[in-house]
Amino acid sequence: MNTLINIEDVHKSFGSNYVLRGANLKIIKGESVVILGGSGSGKSVLLKHIIGLLMPDKGTVTVAGSDLSKLDENDLNELRKKFGMLFQAAALFDSMSVWENVGFGLKRHTKFSDKEIKEIAVEKLRHVGLTGIEDRMPSDLSGGMRKRVGLARAIAMEPEILLYDEPTTGLDPIMADAINDLIIEMREKLKITSVAITHDIKSAYKIADRIAMLYNGEIIETGSPDNIRNTLNPIVKQFVEGSAVGPIVIEGLKR
Amino acid sequence: MFIIKAIEFIGTVFKDPIEETGRILLLFYSTIKWLFRPPFELKNTTKQMVEIGINSLPVVLITAVFTGMVLALQSYTGFKRFGAESLVGSVVALSMTRELGPVLTALIVTGRAGAAMAAELGTMRVTEQIEALETLATNPVKYLVVPRFISGTIMLPCLAVIADIIGIIGGYFVTVIVFGTSPNLYMKMTWDHLEMNDIYHGLIKAGVFGAILSLISCYKGFYTKGGAEGVGKATTGAVVISSMAILISDYFLSAWLFK
């Protein structure tokens, strides 16, 4: 098996907040992994480690054979060109038009002219189901459209790995499902390895080849959607069934 | 026990400012490091120069002309008591070039452009746009901080020299038109006691203030935490800390330059 991303015993704390406590996860080239976890379980933190936005206090994150914490700034940036990332609220640059957002990476890292970049941007936007909005500003778009533009930006440089930070959060169920379909399409058409974090079980079942459950800073179980659905682990079971009663300690709630 | 409590107290009071100073210096270091590495962010730098320089011009002009006028008014009526009205031209020229031109320009630009920098970068931070830049293999210090730092450092002296001239014209207006002093005397007193070094040193100060205000404002924005409230705090902090740093460094720079 061809391991593309290897997260090994990653620990991370912020001040007195011990978020990751020895997380382990291997991601194979071409697969679609969903990391499930509750709010505040550290899944965003884990995702940010994969692209080197955060570095582990202890442990290693290896992508395509290179240990991220050992790379200098230039090599890290080279490696990041293999990634595309869709942020939770899309994180579009609000000072730029839609096509400039989509073409940002191309503008900076290729020699294409503005005209060519705009053509590519329009093409990528069509890919995510958007037409005729390339000259609008991000502030004029709805939440669902912004996410699509964010996805177009993430795929503009033809990445090998796509990271999704809560792709369906904050969208209505129909738009959320449309985004799920897009994620599946990205994987099937573009053969991209994808890692998504979410607490949306429905979305996870739909887009994942493999689901990993993050609890208390550790990956406590991984398996196919079917395995997870029929899990015997009480914590995972409680989470996928969405019950407030069970072994999971809910922060700030006394029983 | 009392001693331990006292040390603890001193520690809690000084921990944050010292940590913050350290982080500002680290940002300064990485700004300088990226300053000389191509490719240069020409488009961003031009945009910031317009924002800091051209767009601040109206407020700087109004501030400078009224400062020159009030300087002339106060020194004329004050100096009249001992018959030294003829010195007004010199007082205005020296005060404007050595002190008020650079300092007031820097404070005004802090309130305008510094606050805008902190708010813009702060919003970019809390909406994850700065992280998005990194995922697009773009160093945010190089892309966001360096252009603002360059523009601040270059545009402040330009604005200060305009403030100097406009302030002297304001002083001329009050002394000559309002109080009826001879125009020749005002200009003679302006030129006789003004040395080129007064102007140069004032402009060096302005350049340093520009560097300070852009660095601190970018720092505050860059490390914003906690949503809309955080952006508000970062903006206020940028203006307050930059203004204090400008006034404190002004004393030491003046002591050094105008020995």
Side-chain angles (χ1 to χ4, degrees), chain A residues 73 80 92 94 108-109, chain B residues 41 134 136-139 143:
Chain A
E73 197 132 14
R80 278 179 179 156
L92 301 179
D94 40 28
R108 294 192 69 82
H109 304 300
Chain B
E41 309 283 345
E134 289 189 70
L136 293 161
T138 300
N139 182 287
Y143 186 76

Side-chain angles (χ1 to χ4, degrees), chain B residues 9 33 45 51-52 65 69 77 128:
Chain B
F9 176 74
K33 194 178 78 184
T45 311
E51 180 56 36
I52 296 170
V65 74
M69 282 164 67
T77 50
E128 295 186 308

